PDB file of all heavy atoms in Angstrom:
ATOM      1  N   ARG E 319      -5.463 -28.237  -2.406  1.00 91.00           N
ATOM      2  CA  ARG E 319      -6.469 -28.835  -1.521  1.00 91.00           C
ATOM      3  C   ARG E 319      -7.854 -28.851  -2.150  1.00 91.00           C
ATOM      4  O   ARG E 319      -8.819 -29.284  -1.510  1.00 91.00           O
ATOM      5  CB  ARG E 319      -6.528 -28.060  -0.203  1.00 91.00           C
ATOM      6  CG  ARG E 319      -5.189 -27.990   0.534  1.00 91.00           C
ATOM      7  CD  ARG E 319      -5.262 -27.154   1.790  1.00 91.00           C
ATOM      8  NE  ARG E 319      -6.077 -27.774   2.812  1.00 91.00           N
ATOM      9  CZ  ARG E 319      -6.327 -27.228   4.009  1.00 91.00           C
ATOM     10  NH1 ARG E 319      -5.788 -26.044   4.295  1.00 91.00           N
ATOM     11  NH2 ARG E 319      -7.073 -27.838   4.889  1.00 91.00           N
ATOM     12  N   LEU E 320      -7.956 -28.358  -3.381  1.00 91.00           N
ATOM     13  CA  LEU E 320      -9.270 -28.253  -4.020  1.00 91.00           C
ATOM     14  C   LEU E 320      -9.947 -29.613  -4.182  1.00 91.00           C
ATOM     15  O   LEU E 320     -11.082 -29.803  -3.718  1.00 91.00           O
ATOM     16  CB  LEU E 320      -9.126 -27.566  -5.377  1.00 91.00           C
ATOM     17  CG  LEU E 320     -10.380 -27.602  -6.281  1.00 91.00           C
ATOM     18  CD1 LEU E 320     -11.546 -26.881  -5.624  1.00 91.00           C
ATOM     19  CD2 LEU E 320     -10.068 -26.989  -7.641  1.00 91.00           C
ATOM     20  N   GLU E 321      -9.299 -30.548  -4.851  1.00 91.00           N
ATOM     21  CA  GLU E 321      -9.957 -31.819  -5.179  1.00 91.00           C
ATOM     22  C   GLU E 321     -10.324 -32.627  -3.938  1.00 91.00           C
ATOM     23  O   GLU E 321     -11.463 -33.128  -3.841  1.00 91.00           O
ATOM     24  CB  GLU E 321      -9.068 -32.634  -6.121  1.00 91.00           C
ATOM     25  CG  GLU E 321      -8.865 -31.997  -7.488  1.00 91.00           C
ATOM     26  CD  GLU E 321     -10.184 -31.770  -8.234  1.00 91.00           C
ATOM     27  OE1 GLU E 321     -11.178 -32.457  -7.944  1.00 91.00           O
ATOM     28  OE2 GLU E 321     -10.208 -30.884  -9.101  1.00 91.00           O
ATOM     29  N   PRO E 322      -9.427 -32.798  -2.950  1.00 91.00           N
ATOM     30  CA  PRO E 322      -9.840 -33.533  -1.742  1.00 91.00           C
ATOM     31  C   PRO E 322     -11.027 -32.883  -1.027  1.00 91.00           C
ATOM     32  O   PRO E 322     -11.941 -33.581  -0.574  1.00 91.00           O
ATOM     33  CB  PRO E 322      -8.582 -33.519  -0.870  1.00 91.00           C
ATOM     34  CG  PRO E 322      -7.454 -33.319  -1.813  1.00 91.00           C
ATOM     35  CD  PRO E 322      -7.980 -32.457  -2.901  1.00 91.00           C
ATOM     36  N   LEU E 323     -11.015 -31.550  -0.933  1.00 91.00           N
ATOM     37  CA  LEU E 323     -12.127 -30.878  -0.255  1.00 91.00           C
ATOM     38  C   LEU E 323     -13.406 -30.993  -1.067  1.00 91.00           C
ATOM     39  O   LEU E 323     -14.493 -31.164  -0.505  1.00 91.00           O
ATOM     40  CB  LEU E 323     -11.772 -29.400  -0.021  1.00 91.00           C
ATOM     41  CG  LEU E 323     -12.826 -28.586   0.726  1.00 91.00           C
ATOM     42  CD1 LEU E 323     -13.060 -29.155   2.132  1.00 91.00           C
ATOM     43  CD2 LEU E 323     -12.418 -27.121   0.814  1.00 91.00           C
ATOM     44  N   TRP E 324     -13.300 -30.873  -2.381  1.00 91.00           N
ATOM     45  CA  TRP E 324     -14.480 -31.002  -3.250  1.00 91.00           C
ATOM     46  C   TRP E 324     -15.139 -32.368  -3.058  1.00 91.00           C
ATOM     47  O   TRP E 324     -16.363 -32.463  -2.911  1.00 91.00           O
ATOM     48  CB  TRP E 324     -14.066 -30.802  -4.705  1.00 91.00           C
ATOM     49  CG  TRP E 324     -15.203 -30.755  -5.672  1.00 91.00           C
ATOM     50  CD1 TRP E 324     -15.741 -31.810  -6.358  1.00 91.00           C
ATOM     51  CD2 TRP E 324     -15.967 -29.609  -6.041  1.00 91.00           C
ATOM     52  NE1 TRP E 324     -16.783 -31.398  -7.148  1.00 91.00           N
ATOM     53  CE2 TRP E 324     -16.945 -30.050  -6.975  1.00 91.00           C
ATOM     54  CE3 TRP E 324     -15.916 -28.265  -5.699  1.00 91.00           C
ATOM     55  CZ2 TRP E 324     -17.863 -29.172  -7.553  1.00 91.00           C
ATOM     56  CZ3 TRP E 324     -16.822 -27.399  -6.281  1.00 91.00           C
ATOM     57  CH2 TRP E 324     -17.782 -27.844  -7.198  1.00 91.00           C
ATOM     58  N   ASP E 325     -14.323 -33.434  -3.026  1.00 89.00           N
ATOM     59  CA  ASP E 325     -14.870 -34.785  -2.829  1.00 89.00           C
ATOM     60  C   ASP E 325     -15.483 -34.927  -1.443  1.00 89.00           C
ATOM     61  O   ASP E 325     -16.508 -35.607  -1.260  1.00 89.00           O
ATOM     62  CB  ASP E 325     -13.770 -35.831  -3.025  1.00 89.00           C
ATOM     63  CG  ASP E 325     -13.275 -35.880  -4.468  1.00 89.00           C
ATOM     64  OD1 ASP E 325     -14.031 -35.435  -5.357  1.00 89.00           O
ATOM     65  OD2 ASP E 325     -12.144 -36.353  -4.697  1.00 89.00           O
ATOM     66  N   THR E 326     -14.891 -34.288  -0.440  1.00 87.00           N
ATOM     67  CA  THR E 326     -15.421 -34.376   0.921  1.00 87.00           C
ATOM     68  C   THR E 326     -16.767 -33.667   1.043  1.00 87.00           C
ATOM     69  O   THR E 326     -17.696 -34.178   1.690  1.00 87.00           O
ATOM     70  CB  THR E 326     -14.423 -33.742   1.916  1.00 87.00           C
ATOM     71  OG1 THR E 326     -13.199 -34.461   1.877  1.00 87.00           O
ATOM     72  CG2 THR E 326     -14.983 -33.757   3.330  1.00 87.00           C
ATOM     73  N   LEU E 327     -16.889 -32.484   0.406  1.00 87.00           N
ATOM     74  CA  LEU E 327     -18.099 -31.679   0.575  1.00 87.00           C
ATOM     75  C   LEU E 327     -19.266 -32.200  -0.263  1.00 87.00           C
ATOM     76  O   LEU E 327     -20.420 -32.120   0.165  1.00 87.00           O
ATOM     77  CB  LEU E 327     -17.814 -30.227   0.201  1.00 87.00           C
ATOM     78  CG  LEU E 327     -16.816 -29.472   1.092  1.00 87.00           C
ATOM     79  CD1 LEU E 327     -16.637 -28.047   0.590  1.00 87.00           C
ATOM     80  CD2 LEU E 327     -17.277 -29.465   2.545  1.00 87.00           C
ATOM     81  N   PHE E 328     -18.981 -32.731  -1.454  1.00 84.00           N
ATOM     82  CA  PHE E 328     -20.091 -33.028  -2.369  1.00 84.00           C
ATOM     83  C   PHE E 328     -20.240 -34.500  -2.714  1.00 84.00           C
ATOM     84  O   PHE E 328     -21.338 -34.941  -3.063  1.00 84.00           O
ATOM     85  CB  PHE E 328     -19.921 -32.207  -3.654  1.00 84.00           C
ATOM     86  CG  PHE E 328     -19.736 -30.742  -3.392  1.00 84.00           C
ATOM     87  CD1 PHE E 328     -18.531 -30.118  -3.657  1.00 84.00           C
ATOM     88  CD2 PHE E 328     -20.760 -29.985  -2.830  1.00 84.00           C
ATOM     89  CE1 PHE E 328     -18.348 -28.775  -3.391  1.00 84.00           C
ATOM     90  CE2 PHE E 328     -20.588 -28.646  -2.557  1.00 84.00           C
ATOM     91  CZ  PHE E 328     -19.372 -28.035  -2.841  1.00 84.00           C
ATOM     92  N   ALA E 329     -19.169 -35.261  -2.648  1.00 76.00           N
ATOM     93  CA  ALA E 329     -19.243 -36.707  -2.906  1.00 76.00           C
ATOM     94  C   ALA E 329     -20.003 -37.018  -4.196  1.00 76.00           C
ATOM     95  O   ALA E 329     -20.844 -37.917  -4.251  1.00 76.00           O
ATOM     96  CB  ALA E 329     -19.896 -37.422  -1.715  1.00 76.00           C
ATOM     97  N   GLY E 330     -19.730 -36.242  -5.246  1.00 68.00           N
ATOM     98  CA  GLY E 330     -20.344 -36.496  -6.550  1.00 68.00           C
ATOM     99  C   GLY E 330     -21.714 -35.883  -6.734  1.00 68.00           C
ATOM    100  O   GLY E 330     -22.243 -35.904  -7.850  1.00 68.00           O
ATOM    101  N   ASP E 331     -22.325 -35.332  -5.691  1.00 79.00           N
ATOM    102  CA  ASP E 331     -23.662 -34.737  -5.801  1.00 79.00           C
ATOM    103  C   ASP E 331     -23.525 -33.219  -5.838  1.00 79.00           C
ATOM    104  O   ASP E 331     -23.648 -32.540  -4.833  1.00 79.00           O
ATOM    105  CB  ASP E 331     -24.517 -35.183  -4.614  1.00 79.00           C
ATOM    106  CG  ASP E 331     -25.960 -34.695  -4.758  1.00 79.00           C
ATOM    107  OD1 ASP E 331     -26.335 -34.313  -5.881  1.00 79.00           O
ATOM    108  OD2 ASP E 331     -26.684 -34.697  -3.749  1.00 79.00           O
ATOM    109  N   VAL E 332     -23.286 -32.661  -7.032  1.00 86.00           N
ATOM    110  CA  VAL E 332     -23.054 -31.232  -7.192  1.00 86.00           C
ATOM    111  C   VAL E 332     -24.363 -30.544  -7.561  1.00 86.00           C
ATOM    112  O   VAL E 332     -25.057 -30.986  -8.489  1.00 86.00           O
ATOM    113  CB  VAL E 332     -21.997 -30.965  -8.277  1.00 86.00           C
ATOM    114  CG1 VAL E 332     -21.770 -29.468  -8.449  1.00 86.00           C
ATOM    115  CG2 VAL E 332     -20.686 -31.661  -7.922  1.00 86.00           C
ATOM    116  N   PRO E 333     -24.763 -29.473  -6.860  1.00 87.00           N
ATOM    117  CA  PRO E 333     -26.009 -28.775  -7.188  1.00 87.00           C
ATOM    118  C   PRO E 333     -26.015 -28.281  -8.632  1.00 87.00           C
ATOM    119  O   PRO E 333     -24.964 -27.959  -9.211  1.00 87.00           O
ATOM    120  CB  PRO E 333     -26.029 -27.602  -6.197  1.00 87.00           C
ATOM    121  CG  PRO E 333     -25.150 -28.042  -5.069  1.00 87.00           C
ATOM    122  CD  PRO E 333     -24.099 -28.891  -5.679  1.00 87.00           C
ATOM    123  N   ALA E 334     -27.213 -28.164  -9.195  1.00 83.00           N
ATOM    124  CA  ALA E 334     -27.339 -27.814 -10.614  1.00 83.00           C
ATOM    125  C   ALA E 334     -27.445 -26.321 -10.861  1.00 83.00           C
ATOM    126  O   ALA E 334     -27.064 -25.844 -11.928  1.00 83.00           O
ATOM    127  CB  ALA E 334     -28.557 -28.525 -11.209  1.00 83.00           C
ATOM    128  N   ASP E 335     -27.976 -25.557  -9.896  1.00 85.00           N
ATOM    129  CA  ASP E 335     -28.157 -24.126 -10.123  1.00 85.00           C
ATOM    130  C   ASP E 335     -27.937 -23.361  -8.817  1.00 85.00           C
ATOM    131  O   ASP E 335     -27.671 -23.954  -7.760  1.00 85.00           O
ATOM    132  CB  ASP E 335     -29.549 -23.840 -10.700  1.00 85.00           C
ATOM    133  CG  ASP E 335     -30.672 -24.424  -9.850  1.00 85.00           C
ATOM    134  OD1 ASP E 335     -30.541 -24.454  -8.596  1.00 85.00           O
ATOM    135  OD2 ASP E 335     -31.693 -24.843 -10.420  1.00 85.00           O
ATOM    136  N   ALA E 336     -28.087 -22.030  -8.885  1.00 86.00           N
ATOM    137  CA  ALA E 336     -27.802 -21.185  -7.730  1.00 86.00           C
ATOM    138  C   ALA E 336     -28.722 -21.475  -6.552  1.00 86.00           C
ATOM    139  O   ALA E 336     -28.284 -21.486  -5.395  1.00 86.00           O
ATOM    140  CB  ALA E 336     -27.901 -19.711  -8.125  1.00 86.00           C
ATOM    141  N   GLU E 337     -30.003 -21.742  -6.811  1.00 88.00           N
ATOM    142  CA  GLU E 337     -30.937 -22.008  -5.719  1.00 88.00           C
ATOM    143  C   GLU E 337     -30.612 -23.321  -5.032  1.00 88.00           C
ATOM    144  O   GLU E 337     -30.691 -23.426  -3.794  1.00 88.00           O
ATOM    145  CB  GLU E 337     -32.364 -22.006  -6.249  1.00 88.00           C
ATOM    146  CG  GLU E 337     -32.888 -20.633  -6.632  1.00 88.00           C
ATOM    147  CD  GLU E 337     -32.747 -19.635  -5.494  1.00 88.00           C
ATOM    148  OE1 GLU E 337     -33.038 -19.988  -4.332  1.00 88.00           O
ATOM    149  OE2 GLU E 337     -32.326 -18.491  -5.766  1.00 88.00           O
TER     150      GLU E 337
END
Side-chain angles (χ1 to χ4, degrees):
R319 303 177 68 181
L320 170 62
E321 295 301 337
L323 182 61
W324 187 268
D325 293 338
T326 298
L327 295 180
F328 307 112
D331 185 17
V332 179
D335 54 35
E337 288 306 317

